[in-house]
Amino acid sequence: MMLKQYCFRQALRASQVHLCPPAANARPSLPICHTHRQSFHHSSFHTVQEPSSQSYEPKHPTNIRININDHVKLISLGQGIINVVLSRPNKLNSLCIPMFEAIAEAASMLRNDKELNKGLRVVIISGEGRAFCSGLDAKGVALSGPKSSLNTLLKRPSGYGEEDGVGNLAQDVCYLWRKLPVPVIAVLHGYCFGGGLQIALGADLRFATPDCKLSIMESRWGLIPDMSASIVLREIVRIDVAKELTMTGRIISGTEAESLGLVTRCVDDPMEEALKVTREIIARSPDSVAASKELFQSTWMEADDATCLEKETTLQLKLIGTWNQAAAAGRQFGINLPYWNK
């Protein structure tokens, strides 16, 4: 009760004293991405039913802000929502070297480019055409030169993770989504195999069609999943499930993936579901949303009890008394204040 009263007083004070959020010049500066970038163009044991022929086209295609390598598009959906579209539909969005580079560049830019991430609230990753991502384009990678391609993929650090980068390029196309301070939602349909599934696992939420086909397919090539699967799988499925799916490479449906915890929900229209959840998220304080992501990702698996409890308090103290905390509390009392989007 005391906390609620405090929140009400904070909200009331903010509504009376401040007519608008803090000035733009009060915002902290963010590092600029120094990695290379292309020119900006404004302008998967059980029988699995074949996925439908449903083809996804980007929403608001005229709002393309950035086109990277002609393989990834960043489309503004308004209200701080960016749709990252894997755009190699004639190859089922399979992963060639330029596609790896474009995905890592997109994640890096959204994290570090202060003009692009200004007011960013949610990122939605989707695939154009008949698939989310069908995995490695083995032929394309081979034609690029097997030795040079391997060096490009496995060099550590890749450079896309900036000063705190720990992954190689193959890992960063999945891992870097975890480093964004906003929720990342993957929209899955058609095929989601191998590296494509690992990209999806790097997101915070995953919505899939019931007939989507998913597979940790690397064992079929005599390999292991090495694109950050050892981090993301342990957070969402039991170890026996991870081992079985990895050792067999079997293809499962979206429905089974939901029952195993591999995807958040199965729905007929995962993009609409993503937008629905996005609308709920952006109604909350951007600071509390970012802190929620940081809290769970930093404590979920290996942190001891003392570390977890200390992390909760540290993050909470950063939120209490801020403009966005007051604005969020105010909305509970009918005082509608705008959030300050950094």
Side-chain angles (χ1 to χ4, degrees):
M1 178 62 69
M2 292 180 64
L3 180 58
K4 285 186 177 180
Q5 291 174 346
Y6 170 80
C7 290
F8 177 74
R9 288 196 300 271
Q10 288 291 100
L12 185 60
R13 184 180 299 114
S15 67
Q16 292 173 338
V17 178
H18 303 286
L19 297 181
C20 60
N25 58 14
R27 297 174 181 172
S29 60
L30 296 175
I32 299 174
C33 173
H34 294 293
T35 58
H36 67 280
R37 64 185 66 178
Q38 299 296 321
S39 300
F40 288 15
H41 301 284
H42 297 278
S43 28
S44 72
F45 292 104
H46 304 282
T47 300
V48 180
Q49 187 178 18
E50 194 71 16
S52 67
S53 57
Q54 184 178 20
S55 179
Y56 275 62
E57 300 300 327
K59 290 182 179 290
H60 310 296
T62 59
N63 293 348
I64 297 176
R65 294 187 60 182
I66 297 172
N67 188 331
I68 308 174
N69 289 350
D70 288 327
H71 284 57
V72 172
K73 301 172 185 174
L74 273 61
I75 299 176
S76 173
L77 303 183
Q79 297 182 290
I81 309 164
I82 292 290
N83 186 190
V84 176
V85 182
L86 309 185
S87 185
R88 202 180 177 221
N90 59 323
K91 295 292 185 179
L92 298 177
N93 299 317
S94 57
L95 300 167
C96 57
I97 297 299
M99 179 69 117
F100 275 105
E101 293 174 336
I103 296 171
E105 178 72 359
S108 180
M109 292 173 67
L110 286 168
R111 182 185 181 196
N112 297 303
D113 189 315
K114 61 182 180 181
E115 180 62 30
L116 185 61
N117 64 30
K118 181 180 179 181
L120 184 64
R121 295 299 313 272
V122 177
V123 172
I124 300 175
I125 310 175
S126 61
E128 184 176 351
R130 297 189 297 113
F132 174 74
C133 176
S134 58
L136 183 68
D137 179 0
K139 181 179 179 181
V141 170
L143 290 175
S144 298
K147 186 175 181 179
S148 63
S149 295
L150 196 62
N151 289 337
T152 299
L153 290 172
L154 300 185
K155 176 186 174 183
R156 186 187 310 277
S158 70
Y160 291 95
E162 296 297 296
E163 292 83 1
D164 58 346
V166 295
N168 57 41
L169 175 59
Q171 293 164 336
D172 277 350
V173 298
C174 313
Y175 183 74
L176 289 183
W177 302 112
R178 298 165 57 87
K179 307 298 286 185
L180 293 186
V182 299
V184 178
I185 304 175
V187 171
L188 312 180
H189 76 288
Y191 303 95
C192 187
F193 291 161
L197 178 54
Q198 291 179 78
I199 291 171
L201 294 175
D204 300 294
L205 305 172
R206 286 158 296 283
F207 301 125
T209 59
D211 61 353
C212 180
K213 299 175 73 173
L214 306 91
S215 176
I216 303 173
M217 195 166 274
E218 285 76 5
S219 65
R220 296 184 179 218
W221 297 84
L223 301 171
I224 61 169
D226 65 338
M227 294 168 60
S228 76
S230 59
I231 296 173
V232 294
L233 275 175
R234 69 186 181 187
E235 293 179 349
I236 59 177
V237 297
R238 302 191 316 261
I239 188 171
D240 59 324
V241 172
K243 287 178 178 178
E244 188 251 336
L245 293 176
T246 301
M247 293 173 180
T248 64
R250 71 183 180 90
I251 299 171
I252 63 175
S253 68
T255 303
E256 184 178 0
E258 180 185 29
S259 70
L260 294 174
L262 209 58
V263 301
T264 310
R265 269 195 295 283
C266 260
V267 290
D268 291 332
D269 190 339
M271 177 58 82
E272 184 53 44
E273 184 72 7
L275 291 171
K276 174 186 174 183
V277 172
T278 293
R279 287 190 288 269
E280 297 175 358
I281 290 173
I282 64 177
R284 309 298 175 223
S285 163
D287 295 342
S288 67
V289 171
S292 298
K293 179 170 179 174
E294 180 184 347
L295 172 64
F296 292 127
Q297 287 198 178
S298 62
T299 62
W300 196 256
M301 295 302 300
E302 296 180 347
D304 57 30
D305 289 358
T307 300
C308 292
L309 296 175
E310 183 178 354
K311 187 70 172 181
E312 288 181 5
T313 302
T314 299
L315 291 173
Q316 192 76 300
L317 287 173
K318 290 181 179 180
L319 297 173
I320 292 175
T322 62
W323 173 273
N324 284 337
Q325 189 266 318
R331 296 184 181 203
Q332 305 308 307
F333 298 101
I335 303 172
N336 194 13
L337 295 169
Y339 289 126
W340 171 33
N341 290 324
K342 300 177 182 178

